[in-house]
């Protein structure tokens, strides 16, 4: 079924200049980019995005990381995309690999480029976990008129 998904290139990948490689891998899945923006997340947005992590011991580190404060690097950019296509959620989740880069298959994005530092999984990319989550997340990061039909 045709569905949409939210993809975020996270600050670690941006600081490592991996954006081109990551977009290339996503494009090769045959999905269509419908929206793109450069954004500095506010704390409110980051907390809404990761509301599923409420109560976990790593939440505060993850929020700081998404705001661009990690390992002494201060880069506040996130690149956000909406991609659409057949089984988009599953295809992209397979391409990015497991949450923990140390467990991710080596040829996935997280397996190739991710790191575990100071207890935070610096795993380069976020991709929605389900079509329902995707719609919730897209509405957080984009206005409806910013996403092509
Ligand atoms: P989660 O939504 O569980 O995973 P995913 O990004 O694969 O959908 O977790 C969100 C982020 O929180 C994850 O990308 C990295 C971070 N995280 C940690 O730092 N430590 C952890 O133990 C977990 C589960 C996640």
């Amino acid at each position: 079924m045709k569905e949409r998904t939210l993809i975020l290139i996270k600050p670690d990948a941006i600081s490592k200049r991996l954006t081109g490689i990551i977009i290339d891998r996503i494009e090769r899945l045959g999905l269509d980019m419908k929206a793109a923006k450069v954004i500095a997340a506010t704390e409110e947005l980051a907390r809404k995005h990761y509301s599923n992590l409420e109560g976990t011991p790593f939440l505060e580190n993850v929020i700081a990381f998404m705001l661009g404060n990690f390992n002494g690097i201060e880069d506040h950019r996130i690149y956000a995309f909406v991609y659409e296509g057949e089984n988009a959620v599953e295809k992209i989740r397979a391409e990015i690999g497991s949450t923990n880069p140390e467990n991710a298959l080596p040829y996935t994005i997280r397996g190739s480029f991710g790191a575990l530092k100071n207890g935070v999984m610096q795993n380069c990319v976020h991709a929605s976990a389900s079509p329902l989550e995707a719609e919730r997340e897209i509405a957080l990061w984009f206005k409806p008129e910013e996403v092509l039909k």
Side-chain angles (χ1 to χ4, degrees):
M1 209 182 75
K2 217 172 191 193
E3 60 197 20
R4 306 194 301 175
T5 188
L6 179 83
I7 299 183
L8 303 176
I9 299 187
K10 299 184 184 182
D12 56 327
I14 293 174
S15 71
K16 291 174 179 172
R17 307 280 160 184
L18 292 170
T19 302
I21 291 171
I22 290 171
I23 291 177
D24 183 55
R25 290 196 183 191
I26 295 167
E27 287 283 317
R28 284 165 189 271
L29 300 174
L31 304 173
D32 297 320
M33 190 191 289
K34 294 288 185 167
K37 68 164 68 163
V38 180
I39 184 169
T42 60
E43 185 172 339
E44 188 189 359
L45 174 58
R47 286 189 188 280
K48 280 185 181 162
H49 177 82
Y50 279 131
S51 55
N52 63 314
L53 300 182
E54 204 70 53
T56 61
F58 49 85
L59 175 64
E60 296 310 316
N61 279 341
V62 171
I63 298 300
F65 173 61
M66 289 298 277
L67 296 178
N69 308 318
F70 67 106
N71 288 342
I73 297 172
E74 283 215 18
D75 191 328
H76 306 292
R77 290 170 296 168
I78 288 174
Y79 302 155
F81 305 91
V82 176
Y83 269 86
E84 186 182 88
E86 295 293 322
N87 299 319
V89 167
E90 197 183 305
K91 279 184 184 158
I92 288 184
R93 291 286 289 193
E95 180 65 33
I96 69 174
S98 300
T99 305
N100 185 342
E102 292 188 343
N103 299 333
L105 292 170
Y107 52 81
T108 60
I109 293 171
R110 288 168 166 178
S112 300
F113 307 118
L116 186 56
K117 284 190 186 160
N118 304 330
V120 181
M121 294 172 188
Q122 299 185 356
N123 55 17
C124 301
V125 177
H126 167 82
S128 308
S130 71
L132 198 65
E133 260 299 280
E135 293 305 319
R136 184 189 77 86
E137 293 173 356
I138 289 167
L140 286 178
W141 292 84
F142 289 93
K143 298 182 187 129
E145 63 268 25
E146 291 173 330
V147 186
L148 289 187
K149 295 287 174 221

